[in-house]
Amino acid sequence: MNEIIADVLVVGGGMAAGWAAISAAKTGARVVLADKGFMGTSGVTAPAGPNHWWVPPEAELRKAAVERRLESAFGLADPVWMERIIDITWQSIPEIAPWYPFSGDGKGGTFRAGLRGPEYLRALRQYATKLGVTILDQHPVLELLARQDGSIGGVAGYDRLNDRPWNARTGAVILATGGCAFRSGLLGSHNNTGDGYLMGVEAGAELSGMEFCISYSISPLWLSTRTLPYTGARYFNAEGQLLSIPGWDKPRDYLCKLADAFRAGPVYADLHEAPAGLPAVVREIQPATVAAFERRGLDMFQDRFEVKLFGEGTIRGIGGLRIVNDVCATSVPGLFAAGDAATREHIAGATSGGGAQNAAWALSSGVLSGTGAAHEAKKRRKTLDRSEKLKPLGGAGLRPSGAVKAVDRKAAIQTAQKETLDLDKALWRNETGLKSSASLLDKAWSEIRTSLHGEKLETVSARETAAMVATARWCNASALVRKESRGMHVREDYPQQNPDYQSRIITGGLDRITPYLEKLRTTEAVS
Amino acid sequence: MITEILPDRCNSCNACVVVCPDHVLDMAKDGQLPVIARPDQCQTCFLCELYCSEDAIYVAVDVPRSELKNDPLGNIRRDYGWDGHEEDPLKNFWQLGGLLREGVMISSARHALQQSDDKESEKKI
Ligand SMILES: Cc1cc2nc3c(=O)[nH]c(=O)nc-3n(C[C@H](O)[C@H](O)[C@H](O)COP(=O)(O)OP(=O)(O)OC[C@H]3O[C@@H](n4cnc5c(N)ncnc54)[C@H](O)[C@@H]3O)c2cc1C
């Protein structure tokens, strides 16, 4: 088996991974980036075109931007983090100019806030390569490897194109594996199955904010696309009656009204009242959205089409690996997290950082984790090549606790999807529903943990299945513990926001999930 | 879903195999075509087409290409401007945010109107 040696190993191939690799390489570290797919097409950044939180370095403007977002963060965000993220984003994007075809902003300047996905990732790839980063495409990481002292010293994975296992010995590891949308079909999310959460928790890391995973995007029934064209859409029921659906400026009302409509039957949309300037430029801004209609023989601005809400889970939800310092370290030495794989509560609190914050977070947490991991790796450099035996940490899907048996993976994934994304369950949570979900998910987990095993290439999907079910359990368990309504998390049985819960829900654990409210834990420790 | 690799165009460079984020394809062997081995994993992102310099791969959206009035083969690369025909492929990209907000205003204005209409009709009753 070929063993790779690196100071920093970045897991993932989206924008967070790209920026992490770049920032680590700038310090002179030897960096390897391993992606499940191809760095350039995989992840949700690639088919999208993220707009970043973009505020010029003027004190007044920045203060106002932070204040505005604090208002919608429901008390869980931190202004210091926000300022840091805005600043890193502002400084970083111009660096990719040699590789990205920046164009005008319509006012005689250069437009830098938003970047089209394929070109963005191509630029990050070229920049990283120039800095000496080794990129391993089609190299999904399956598990972390620990040193004797419990710190993370490597990874093991599978090389899909050559059909063979691989592993790496490294000074530090950054998990930039994206969020998890439970294979809802959400554009670009097929690889984002929560692998990083599972690997992190197996190593002893914690998760935070997993209850904040209530986010959906509207698209044609047959294919999730970017959503720009639909902001002005009109919605109809099967009888052709125009429905009364609030605008996107009221995200909760919009979702609830649509959910009501879906409960009654199929929902259709048309774009007759879309912004007048849209048809002329949509093909340039989002070519794939146009293809979704054109290749089905539809005229997107004329024809009425059936729609669906695609679950976004923790992608445009908030939760992820808990980070414990300002270089995005997890609580496990040598392990860092960035992008959607890390919790975004620091800047977005209990609401999705939609429309700008998410990309800025992915970029800056990437940059921060890159410097943090490189620094950590430096300390390990002398001992890196030594043949200390590394302990593989992967459990479910790799090393079943009982006899190997056939497990219905499709059914397990469906359970994870249904219990987290089903609109009625997600939008109106309550104790009874959450408990019933917990027992279904526990059952699916226990079957996977005991019996699931994949051979060769199949190890990848076995791990993905395990990670999705595990993620669903963490989301559900966190939602049970947050006995209040806050931001995107709404409990029917606790409809009010409660000041006692103005704190993060931390969770972890595998066979037994252990969620707790961060603040209470501290009080306990003190008393 | 990836449905076609066109034998008369494909040069077996395997670019599509490498760039597919979801490992749908297996490598072409001995000058043959890449194999669409795992179509169920295709997420219809069209990005294999973007990286195919020969426009030799086609991602269908439920309907076969032959049934469409205008053949979309090559459209993805052209629309993204990766075929080199467009010098400034992102000249309108700045409009994204403004158009998005305009759409939101349209739908919230419509909803406000619908609500006041509802109130009006309630009054009449
Ligand atoms: C349709 C859509 C539109 C959006 N628009 C905006 C916007 O306008 N503004 C904004 O701020 N945000 C937006 N977002 C959110 C934003 O795109 C994300 O927050 C950001 O792209 C996340 O980057 P990431 O690198 O963390 O994740 P991703 O880009 O999803 O990358 C995750 C990577 O991890 C890899 N991976 C997963 N598991 C493994 C494994 N086991 N081994 C190796 N690699 C693995 C995947 O292959 C992938 O390359 C949007 C999201 C969606 C879905």
Side-chain angles (χ1 to χ4, degrees):
Chain A
M1 201 193 303
N2 58 351
E3 185 176 73
I4 290 157
I5 306 275
D7 293 315
V8 175
L9 188 123
V10 184
V11 189
M15 58 179 288
W19 283 109
I22 287 164
S23 109
K26 278 187 194 168
T27 70
R30 293 168 297 176
V31 182
V32 173
L33 177 151
D35 184 22
K36 190 189 283 185
F38 173 80
M39 187 205 178
T41 61
S42 69
V44 299
T45 322
N51 218 29
H52 297 67
W53 205 6
W54 195 245
V55 193
E58 287 164 36
E60 285 301 302
L61 290 176
R62 293 223 166 152
K63 198 165 152 252
V66 168
E67 274 165 12
R68 205 167 330 119
R69 286 292 192 162
L70 271 177
E71 275 167 27
S72 63
F74 295 89
L76 296 184
D78 175 350
V80 178
W81 266 101
M82 290 190 183
E83 278 163 33
R84 189 182 298 145
I85 265 50
I86 293 175
D87 200 51
I88 295 174
T89 303
W90 180 267
Q91 290 187 34
S92 300
I93 291 184
E95 289 176 26
I96 64 171
W99 304 279
Y100 184 88
F102 282 112
S103 188
D105 64 357
K107 292 180 257 169
T110 303
F111 181 64
R112 294 198 181 84
L115 302 169
R116 201 167 63 183
E119 288 82 4
Y120 189 7
L121 280 173
R122 186 181 59 182
L124 290 177
R125 187 179 178 107
Q126 288 170 345
Y127 187 8
T129 306
K130 168 123 190 296
L131 291 169
V133 173
T134 302
I135 296 171
L136 304 175
D137 300 302
Q138 310 289 353
H139 275 59
V141 171
L142 296 171
E143 61 178 328
L144 298 172
L145 310 176
R147 300 189 190 92
Q148 309 294 323
D149 64 4
S151 63
I152 298 306
V155 304
Y158 203 79
D159 172 351
R160 302 204 282 202
L161 297 186
N162 293 301
D163 216 350
R164 64 180 180 210
W166 66 279
N167 64 26
R169 183 177 287 271
T170 71
V173 172
I174 300 171
L175 293 170
T177 43
C180 175
F182 306 99
R183 289 266 158 91
S184 66
L186 175 73
L187 177 70
S189 73
H190 189 86
N191 284 348
N192 299 11
T193 44
D195 306 4
Y197 304 147
L198 178 58
M199 291 190 273
V201 171
E202 284 172 340
E206 292 178 308
L207 302 158
S208 180
M210 297 301 278
E211 69 279 26
F212 302 122
C213 55
I214 311 298
S215 180
Y216 294 83
S217 63
I218 193 88
S219 274
L221 176 75
W222 60 89
L223 187 62
S224 160
T225 73
R226 302 224 47 213
T227 50
L228 161 68
Y230 320 126
T231 54
R234 303 191 298 176
Y235 297 97
F236 303 86
N237 62 16
E239 284 76 50
Q241 281 165 323
L242 181 66
L243 300 171
S244 177
I245 308 287
W248 289 21
D249 48 338
K250 302 204 177 72
R252 167 96 193 157
D253 296 347
Y254 166 81
L255 265 182
C256 290
K257 275 281 176 311
L258 268 180
D260 290 344
F262 281 113
R263 212 178 298 116
V267 177
Y268 299 82
D270 77 23
L271 306 182
H272 290 192
E273 293 181 4
L278 184 63
V281 296
V282 68
R283 189 183 288 277
E284 174 191 314
I285 299 180
Q286 299 179 359
T289 309
V290 176
F293 289 88
E294 223 164 54
R295 294 181 180 208
R296 216 169 182 266
L298 293 176
D299 181 331
M300 72 183 283
F301 290 104
Q302 286 305 319
D303 295 326
R304 194 173 288 186
F305 51 94
E306 193 171 346
V307 292
K308 179 176 153 179
L309 283 167
F310 288 79
E312 301 187 318
T314 60
I315 289 174
R316 271 198 278 200
I318 292 299
L321 287 157
R322 180 192 198 188
I323 52 181
V324 299
N325 64 15
D326 56 12
V327 289
C328 297
T330 69
S331 56
V332 178
L335 188 64
F336 296 75
D340 291 351
T343 179
R344 207 188 292 123
E345 287 160 302
H346 300 76
I347 63 154
T351 35
S352 173
Q357 274 193 316
N358 298 349
W361 170 255
L363 182 161
S364 340
S365 59
V367 169
L368 292 167
S369 65
T371 52
H375 183 75
E376 174 75 19
K378 224 167 246 152
K379 295 190 266 175
R380 305 272 177 186
R381 206 157 193 186
K382 277 202 203 88
T383 52
L384 191 57
D385 296 300
R386 238 183 36 197
S387 44
E388 178 180 7
K389 202 160 159 37
L390 298 175
K391 182 178 169 219
L393 299 177
L398 288 174
R399 296 176 190 86
S401 58
V404 176
K405 270 197 291 217
V407 172
D408 187 344
R409 284 187 225 165
K410 269 214 181 100
I413 296 171
Q414 269 165 12
T415 304
Q417 281 170 353
K418 190 153 177 268
E419 301 312 312
T420 48
L421 303 180
D422 180 271
L423 287 170
D424 285 339
K425 289 186 207 280
L427 293 177
W428 295 277
R429 286 169 159 168
N430 59 56
E431 178 127 351
T432 321
L434 290 166
K435 281 196 167 150
S436 125
S437 296
S439 84
L440 292 168
L441 290 165
D442 285 349
K443 195 163 151 267
W445 172 259
S446 119
E447 196 187 346
I448 287 170
R449 186 68 194 93
T450 321
S451 319
L452 179 62
H453 179 65
E455 284 292 326
K456 300 185 76 166
L457 187 58
E458 293 277 291
T459 46
V460 180
S461 58
R463 280 296 267 177
E464 290 175 334
T465 307
M468 280 184 275
V469 172
T471 304
R473 290 171 77 226
W474 291 312
C475 292
N476 193 74
S478 305
L480 252 171
V481 171
R482 189 173 283 288
K483 294 189 169 140
E484 62 153 359
S485 295
R486 188 180 294 266
M488 65 171 78
H489 164 78
V490 174
R491 289 277 302 249
E492 268 180 336
D493 42 357
Y494 300 97
Q496 303 300 326
Q497 186 168 309
N498 176 347
D500 292 346
Y501 281 90
Q502 188 165 332
S503 177
R504 297 184 185 138
I505 304 276
I506 311 297
T507 188
L510 292 158
D511 295 329
R512 211 171 68 80
I513 308 241
T514 50
Y516 64 90
L517 190 65
E518 192 174 35
K519 190 178 58 184
L520 295 185
R521 173 79 152 235
T522 345
T523 343
E524 268 166 20
V526 171
S527 57
Chain B
M1 190 190 284
I2 304 174
T3 52
E4 275 182 85
I5 296 176
L6 285 71
D8 51 331
R9 288 172 175 245
C10 177
N11 61 12
S12 309
C13 74
N14 283 320
C16 56
V17 183
V18 174
V19 305
C20 172
D22 298 314
H23 198 215
V24 171
L25 304 155
D26 276 341
M27 290 278 188
K29 286 201 186 91
D30 314 321
Q32 307 227 300
L33 302 182
V35 182
I36 306 174
R38 288 163 293 272
D40 53 316
Q41 294 186 20
C42 178
Q43 57 176 355
T44 314
C45 66
F46 307 106
L47 294 174
C48 53
E49 286 192 30
L50 190 58
Y51 278 86
C52 177
S53 58
E54 307 301 313
D55 293 334
I57 189 162
Y58 182 72
V59 181
V61 182
D62 301 333
V63 177
R65 194 159 55 93
S66 56
E67 287 176 24
L68 295 169
K69 247 190 272 151
N70 303 310
D71 188 351
L73 190 68
N75 271 3
I76 287 291
R77 222 159 54 85
R78 207 191 51 230
D79 291 350
Y80 271 105
W82 281 34
D83 63 347
H85 88 280
E86 176 62 71
E87 234 170 76
D88 190 5
L90 290 162
K91 58 183 179 307
N92 290 305
F93 201 71
W94 62 274
Q95 295 190 37
L96 174 77
L99 286 168
L100 215 136
R101 284 188 292 276
E102 193 182 335
V104 174
M105 274 158 60
I106 291 169
S107 52
S108 49
R110 181 195 309 124
H111 184 245
L113 207 67
Q114 282 173 320
Q115 282 191 315
S116 63
D117 284 355
D118 286 353
K119 279 207 191 104
E120 281 298 308
S121 52
E122 265 169 39
K123 266 189 218 155
K124 276 176 203 153
I125 297 162

